[in-house]
Amino acid sequence: MKKLVYVYENGNEITHTKYISDKSIKKEAGDSKRVAIYECNELDLEQRLDGFKAGKYITTIAIQ
């Protein structure tokens, strides 16, 4: 199953099964000003846990 990984500028990585709203992104962001979104399968998720940058890059969103 593919999952979306939201990588915030402050280093937080949060996994979701679907796209989340802008309101939810702002709640999760904390002090971050940007979030990058990646689409990952199970292997990519395991590689991310090991510190690698894996997955298909989708977009970057600026948080206001």
Side-chain angles (χ1 to χ4, degrees), residues 20-39:
I20 59 174
S21 68
D22 290 339
K23 185 177 178 182
S24 296
I25 290 174
K26 286 180 184 178
K27 283 183 185 177
E28 292 179 351
D31 59 348
S32 293
K33 299 295 180 194
R34 286 188 282 170
V35 60
I37 304 172
Y38 294 87
E39 181 180 346

Side-chain angles (χ1 to χ4, degrees), residues 2-5 37-41 44 48 54-59:
K2 295 196 177 196
K3 297 195 179 202
L4 299 171
V5 178
I37 304 172
Y38 294 87
E39 181 180 346
C40 298
N41 58 27
D44 294 336
R48 282 194 158 288
K56 178 184 171 191
Y57 170 78
I58 297 175
T59 190

Side-chain angles (χ1 to χ4, degrees), residues 6-20:
Y6 288 73
V7 181
Y8 293 94
E9 185 179 46
N10 62 4
N12 291 344
E13 290 189 13
I14 300 176
T15 305
H16 294 282
T17 55
K18 59 182 180 176
Y19 289 100
I20 59 174

Side-chain angles (χ1 to χ4, degrees), residues 40-61:
C40 298
N41 58 27
E42 294 298 322
L43 179 61
D44 294 336
L45 289 173
E46 287 180 22
Q47 289 178 346
R48 282 194 158 288
L49 288 175
D50 293 335
F52 296 104
K53 293 185 179 182
K56 178 184 171 191
Y57 170 78
I58 297 175
T59 190
T60 298
I61 299 173

